[in-house]
Amino acid sequence: MKQLYIAGTWVPAAGEGTSQTINPFDASPLADLAEAARADVDAAVAAAREAFDAGPWRRSAVTERAALLMRVADLLQRDREQLAHTESLDTGKTLNEARADVDDSTAVFRYYAGIACAHAGRVVDPGRPGVTSRVVHEPVGVCALITPWNYPLLQISWKLAPALAAGNTAVIKPSELTPLSTVALVCLAEEAGAPPGVVNLLLGKGGTVGQALVAHPGVDLISFTGELVTGETIMAAAARGVRRVALELGGKNPNIVFADTDFDTVVDNALTAAFLHSGQVCSAGARLIVQDSLHDSLVAELAARADRIRLGSGLDPDTECGPLISAAHRDKVERYISSALAEGASLAAGGSRPSEPALARGFFLRPTLFAGCRRDMAVVREEVFGPVLTVERFGTEDEAIALGNDTGYGLAGAVWTSDAGRAERVADALRHGTVWINDYHPYLPQAEWGGFGKSGIGRELGPSGLEEYQEKKHIYHNANPAPSGWFSG
């Protein structure tokens, strides 16, 4: 049974609670897991608190912290195939996707190892002789890092690498649905030489373990990636004690296509935008917004291509899309499909479970395409988080921008056009944290990631991703102190 990692030791849970993670391809069990109790949350936070307050980590040279991150990166590459296999089994994604996740996680650790030394602070000109003034960066403290089930390895890397680079200690709580690659990463951090208490791991459900962790007064910062309602609950909990939060809460992302774009290229990329990892991606291009003159031909080709997408086990090299994460999540997506039909959307492809007997035990759903969609439909307004693509239409550039911004979210979006001026105008006008021009889905460790509006608070990746885990302190040193003469008496 997988155990908890607290104060540099793998330990059993204080209680007797257990859970099981399953393979979404066929519902077969993968591992039995210990479930942390409140006593384990207290122990993990105490270990992180002790390591931060009294341990050497936050006082260590930034080069030492960078070296640890580089060792983790090297170990990720050493175990690349094993980690990808684990990630594929646990999440259902294809091996190629999982390998890319390992490579991207490696790049994130290497990026923060590289910039840690360059973000130590700055000197300020005080405008007075005999005075030095500098702004230094210090770690925030104990960080609760809570990650989602869709990209478990990648998302914990986005959080843990900058947290450690800044000199913080961490308590990690992965999703109970896909914890196995996070367990593996903590093993690699231990092997790389993370001091006891610097990295701690709790397993268990969000409603119990996660809730206890975010409410714990010993936690200084909460970084959470997940859905909106949970994020709002975490914000309320963090308000008690005025603790810092960093939240990435999903999106309802527009993919805007003008008629002057290359047809075959946009078809291919629209499918990738919507159906990568069966649409279980916070930045999925689930809202396709198409110019009138291109609309009918694009919908027809997308429908034909969507029907040919091969479903199966992520370990099968012929598989293009895997299953959804759970039966409950598939039920949720199917409710959105039913509501779209009830509200008058036109089903162009998919909309049902596959008929192949080999897929019957898994949580599969055919890639689904709806045309004739309106902004008042729930399937267009709300984050479905599954293989469902809606199509809206527009006439003018202004209409496209208005549709693209007509959402409470603001995580990501894209514009496709051969007109460079139009591309830049639309990108500038869209209120989303990432905007791709003639592309979809790539991200860079050195470029900030996060959203506007209900998509969250703060940024991951880039220099800002490191600053989320840093406090700024101004040190003003007067080398020649003298009476101020402010008061005459």
Side-chain angles (χ1 to χ4, degrees), residues 108 112 154-162 443 449 460-461 469:
V108 168
Y112 282 111
L154 188 61
Q155 288 292 325
I156 188 55
S157 299
W158 284 19
K159 300 178 190 301
L160 185 61
Y443 79 95
W449 179 268
E460 295 187 291
L461 304 181
Y469 297 92

Side-chain angles (χ1 to χ4, degrees), residues 70 149 183:
M70 287 300 293
W149 48 259
V183 173

Side-chain angles (χ1 to χ4, degrees), residues 25 307 309-312 321-324 330 334 350-368 387:
F25 166 67
D307 282 337
I309 291 175
R310 295 188 297 271
L311 306 183
C321 262
L324 275 68
R330 180 175 61 182
E334 288 177 327
S352 62
R353 302 179 185 185
S355 59
E356 295 92 326
L359 306 180
R361 294 180 60 190
F363 311 127
F364 287 93
L365 193 61
R366 289 295 317 171
T368 298

Side-chain angles (χ1 to χ4, degrees), residues 1 40 123 133 137 154 180 205 296 334 390 438:
M1 182 184 296
D40 299 309
V123 175
S133 183
H137 295 167
L154 188 61
L180 299 183
K205 295 181 175 62
D296 292 352
E334 288 177 327
T390 63
N438 296 333

